[in-house]
C-alpha cells in the first residue's frame, strides 16, 4: 500500500479508492481540487477527465490491499498549447489560399472571433478615403467597409498601425472607447499586425464578460504576427498587380477611334499566351488638317524586354511628331535615338501619313526595314507598296524610300508584322504561312470593312499556327469607307 510520505505531500492530486469503488483517502493537492461527488470508478487509465475547469490525465496504480491510487496529471496547459498550435496552423493554411487583402482580413476576423474574443476588428492602414475595416462578432457573418477612423481615440491603435508594440489591455478603458468601436464590453486588446517591413494594420479583440490574461495577450500577438504576414503579402501582391496592369495597359496597342473619312482597325497577339505584351506595336496620331500619322513596327526579340522597348519607341515617335512629320526625318531621328539608348535592340517599322482627298484616301508609306504594306483593292486585286529601307537602330545612317498610294472607296492598306507571314503550322505543323499565301487570302477580302479585314487575317494566322509556338503578331488596316449612295 502507498505510504503516507509518498503521496500526501505530492504536488499531483491523488485519490485512494477501495475495492468497492469508494474514495477513502486524498492527498492535500486533491482535497483542494476534487469535489466530494467525484466517481473514480468510471475512470479509465490514461484517459482525460475534467475537474474544476482543468483537464487531467488519469494514471492508475494498483495497491496490495486491492485498493487503487489514482494520480491526476494536469494536462491543461499542454492541451491549450496544442490547441493554439493547431489554430495557428489553421490560420496559416486558410490565409495561404488567398492573395486578396479583403479576403485575408475576413479570415483573420472570423478565426479570431471564434477562438480569441467575442468581437474582433481588423483595421488596415489608411487607403484613399479611409481605413479598410473588417468586423466580426462570434457566430455572425463578418462585415467589411471603408470608413473614417479616428485612430487617436483608441489607446494604442495609432501606435499599432505604425507597428509599435501593443499596450497592455489593462491600460485601455472600454468606457472611454468611441461608440463605433465598443458597446458593452469589459476588456479590449489592441495589437499590431506586423507585415513585410511595413505594418499590415491592427487587430482589436473585445470581450464582454471577461478580461484577457497576460498569457492570452501574448498568444494574441503571436496570432497577429501570422495574420499580419499574410495580409501584408496579399496587399503587396495586389499593389504589384495594379502596377503591372497599368504598365501593361500602357504598352498595349491603343484602342482605335472612329474617323469620318478613315476606317482604322488593328489586332495584336503576343508570342506567349501568358503575356499580354510583346515586341510588336502600332499607333495612330492625329495631325493638323485631318491627317493621321500611323506607325507599325517590330522590335528585335519578344516578351517583356521587347515590350519595354516598344514603349520607348512609341514614346519617342510621339515626342518627335511634335517637331517633325516628314517620314525620312522621323526615321532618321528615331534611328539616332535608338543608337543612343540601346544598341542591342533594333526595330523594323513602317510609317504612313493618311490624308482624305476627293478620290478617297491618299496614303504616303515609308519602310524602315519592314515588310511592305499590301494594298487590297475593292475588286480583290492585291499589290505591295513600293517602299523599302534599312533596319532602324543598328547603323549610323539608314536608307529609305517612300511610296504614295490612293485608296478608292472600299480599298484597304494592310500593315502587318512578320509574325503573320513567318507563322509556322499548316497540315504538317512546320510550314511557313508566307507572303504569297497571305496575298492569295486577301484576294477574297476586297471591299471588306477594316474590322472584318484585320479579324480575317488574324484568324487565318491563328488557325495556321494552331498550338505551335509563334512570334508576336500585329496587323493594322487603313480603309477608305465606301460612300453612301444619295
Amino acid at each position: 500500500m502507498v505510504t503516507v510520505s509518498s503521496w500526501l505531500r505530492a504536488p499531483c492530486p491523488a485519490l485512494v479508492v477501495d475495492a468497492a469503488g469508494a474514495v477513502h483517502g486524498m492527498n492535500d493537492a486533491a482535497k483542494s481540487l476534487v469535489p466530494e461527488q467525484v466517481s473514480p470508478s468510471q475512470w479509465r487509465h490514461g484517459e482525460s477527465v475534467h475537474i474544476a475547469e482543468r483537464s487531467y490525465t488519469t494514471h492508475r496504480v494498483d495497491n496490495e490491499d486491492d485498493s487503487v491510487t489514482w494520480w491526476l496529471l494536469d494536462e491543461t496547459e499542454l492541451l491549450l498549447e496544442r490547441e493554439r498550435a493547431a489554430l495557428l496552423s489553421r490560420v496559416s493554411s486558410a490565409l495561404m489560399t488567398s492573395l486578396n487583402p479583403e479576403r485575408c482580413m475576413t479570415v483573420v476576423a472570423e478565426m479570431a472571433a471564434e477562438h480569441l474574443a467575442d468581437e474582433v476588428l481588423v483595421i488596415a492602414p489608411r487607403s484613399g478615403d479611409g481605413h479598410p475595416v473588417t468586423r466580426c462578432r462570434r457566430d455572425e457573418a463578418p462585415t467589411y467597409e471603408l470608413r473614417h477612423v479616428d485612430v487617436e481615440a483608441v489607446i494604442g491603435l495609432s501606435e499599432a498601425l505604425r507597428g509599435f508594440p501593443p499596450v497592455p489591455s489593462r491600460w485601455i478603458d472600454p468606457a472611454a472607447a468611441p461608440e463605433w468601436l465598443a458597446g458593452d464590453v469589459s476588456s479590449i486588446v489592441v495589437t499590431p499586425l506586423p507585415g513585410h517591413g511595413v505594418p499590415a494594420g491592427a487587430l482589436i479583440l473585445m470581450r464582454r464578460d471577461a478580461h484577457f490574461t497576460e498569457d492570452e495577450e501574448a498568444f494574441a500577438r503571436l496570432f497577429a504576427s501570422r495574420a499580419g504576414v499574410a495580409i501584408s503579402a496579399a496587399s503587396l501582391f495586389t499593389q504589384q498587380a495594379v502596377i503591372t496592369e497599368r504598365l501593361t495597359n500602357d504598352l498595349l496597342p491603343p484602342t482605335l477611334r472612329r474617323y469620318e473619312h478613315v476606317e482604322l482597325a488593328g489586332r495584336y497577339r503576343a508570342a506567349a499566351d501568358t503575356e499580354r505584351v510583346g515586341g510588336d506595336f502600332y499607333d495612330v496620331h492625329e495631325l493638323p488638317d485631318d491627317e493621321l500619322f500611323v506607325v507599325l513596327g517590330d522590335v528585335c526579340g519578344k516578351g517583356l524586354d521587347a515590350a519595354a522597348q516598344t514603349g520607348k519607341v512609341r514614346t519617342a515617335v510621339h515626342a518627335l511628331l511634335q517637331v517633325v512629320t516628314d517620314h525620312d526625318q522621323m526615321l532618321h531621328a528615331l534611328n539616332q535615338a535608338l543608337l543612343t539608348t540601346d544598341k542591342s535592340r533594333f526595330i523594323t517599322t513602317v510609317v504612313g501619313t493618311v490624308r482624305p482627298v476627293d478620290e478617297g484616301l491618299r496614303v504616303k508609306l515609308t519602310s524602315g526595314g519592314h515588310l511592305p504594306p499590301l494594298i487590297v483593292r475593292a475588286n480583290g486585286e492585291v499589290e505591295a507598296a513600293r517602299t523599302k529601307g534599312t533596319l532602324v537602330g543598328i547603323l549610323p545612317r539608314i536608307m529609305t524610300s517612300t511610296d504614295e498610294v490612293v485608296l478608292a472607296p472600299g480599298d484597304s492598306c494592310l500593315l502587318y508584322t512578320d509574325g503573320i507571314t513567318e507563322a509556322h503550322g499548316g497540315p504538317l505543323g512546320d510550314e511557313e504561312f508566307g507572303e504569297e499565301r497571305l496575298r492569295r487570302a486577301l484576294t477574297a477580302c476586297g471591299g471588306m470593312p477594316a474590322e472584318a479585314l484585320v479579324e480575317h487575317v488574324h484568324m487565318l494566322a491563328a488557325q495556321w499556327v494552331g498550338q505551335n509556338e509563334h512570334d508576336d503578331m500585329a496587323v493594322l488596316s487603313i480603309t477608305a469607307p465606301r460612300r453612301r449612295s444619295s
Side-chain angles (χ1 to χ4, degrees), residues 152-157 159 164-177 181 186-190 211-214 217:
E152 302 297 339
V154 182
I155 295 177
L157 179 55
E159 292 79 6
F164 290 106
V167 300
S169 63
R170 65 180 181 275
W171 291 10
I172 304 175
D173 181 8
L181 173 63
S186 59
S187 186
I188 300 175
V189 166
V190 179
H211 291 273
F212 292 94
T213 66
E214 291 186 7
E217 291 186 40

Side-chain angles (χ1 to χ4, degrees), residues 197-465:
V198 179
L203 176 67
I204 302 179
L205 307 176
M206 292 173 282
R207 283 184 178 170
R208 297 188 182 91
D209 302 317
H211 291 273
F212 292 94
T213 66
E214 291 186 7
D215 182 60
E216 288 172 331
E217 291 186 40
F219 179 71
R221 293 194 294 272
L222 185 59
F223 176 93
S225 66
R226 297 283 184 97
V229 169
I231 294 175
S232 177
S235 298
L236 288 174
F237 175 83
T238 300
Q239 292 172 9
Q240 293 298 321
V242 170
I243 293 171
T244 300
E245 180 69 16
R246 290 176 179 173
L247 293 176
T248 299
N249 288 337
D250 286 342
L251 293 174
L252 287 172
T255 301
L256 302 178
R257 57 160 293 192
R258 293 178 177 272
Y259 295 93
E260 181 180 358
H261 303 292
V262 183
E263 285 186 16
L264 294 172
R267 288 291 184 276
Y268 175 79
R269 181 183 181 185
D273 293 334
T274 57
E275 297 176 358
R276 297 169 56 196
V277 295
D280 288 3
F281 66 96
Y282 58 80
D283 262 320
V284 177
H285 302 274
E286 296 181 2
L287 300 177
D289 301 324
D290 293 329
E291 286 190 340
L292 297 176
F293 187 91
V294 299
V295 56
L296 177 140
D298 182 357
V299 170
C300 172
K302 53 189 175 183
L304 296 179
D305 289 340
Q309 184 73 347
T310 66
K312 296 177 183 178
V313 172
R314 292 172 63 188
T315 300
V317 170
H318 181 75
L320 289 170
L321 277 175
Q322 310 306 310
V323 293
V324 59
T325 58
D326 179 81
H327 292 188
D328 288 339
Q329 294 180 21
M330 166 67 72
L331 292 178
H332 279 83
L334 184 60
N335 185 64
Q336 291 302 312
L338 293 179
L339 287 174
T340 302
T341 58
D342 189 349
K343 296 182 180 179
S344 65
R345 289 190 182 276
F346 58 87
I347 69 169
T348 67
T349 186
V350 58
V351 297
T353 303
V354 184
R355 178 165 55 91
V357 293
D358 292 340
E359 307 94 305
L361 297 175
R362 188 172 296 276
V363 183
K364 184 191 299 183
L365 299 164
T366 305
S367 172
H370 199 80
L371 297 167
L374 296 177
I375 311 303
V376 184
R377 301 297 180 183
N379 61 7
E381 293 182 4
V382 179
E383 59 193 72
R386 295 184 299 273
T387 177
K388 58 183 179 180
T390 51
L391 301 173
V392 179
I394 195 170
L395 297 174
R397 295 186 59 83
I398 61 173
M399 303 295 293
T400 62
S401 64
T402 299
D403 189 19
E404 190 171 289
V405 298
V406 174
L407 302 180
D411 292 350
S412 295
C413 175
L414 188 72
L415 285 63
Y416 59 95
T417 59
D418 59 11
I420 300 291
T421 53
E422 295 180 3
H424 283 76
L428 300 179
D430 59 354
E431 187 177 356
E432 193 176 85
F433 189 69
E435 294 182 44
E436 186 58 36
R437 184 175 281 105
L438 175 61
R439 291 195 188 195
R440 289 200 304 269
L442 292 176
T443 59
C445 300
M448 273 190 178
E451 281 286 347
L453 179 58
V454 296
E455 183 64 31
H456 184 67
V457 172
H458 187 268
M459 180 189 67
L460 287 176
Q463 290 177 341
W464 186 262
V465 168

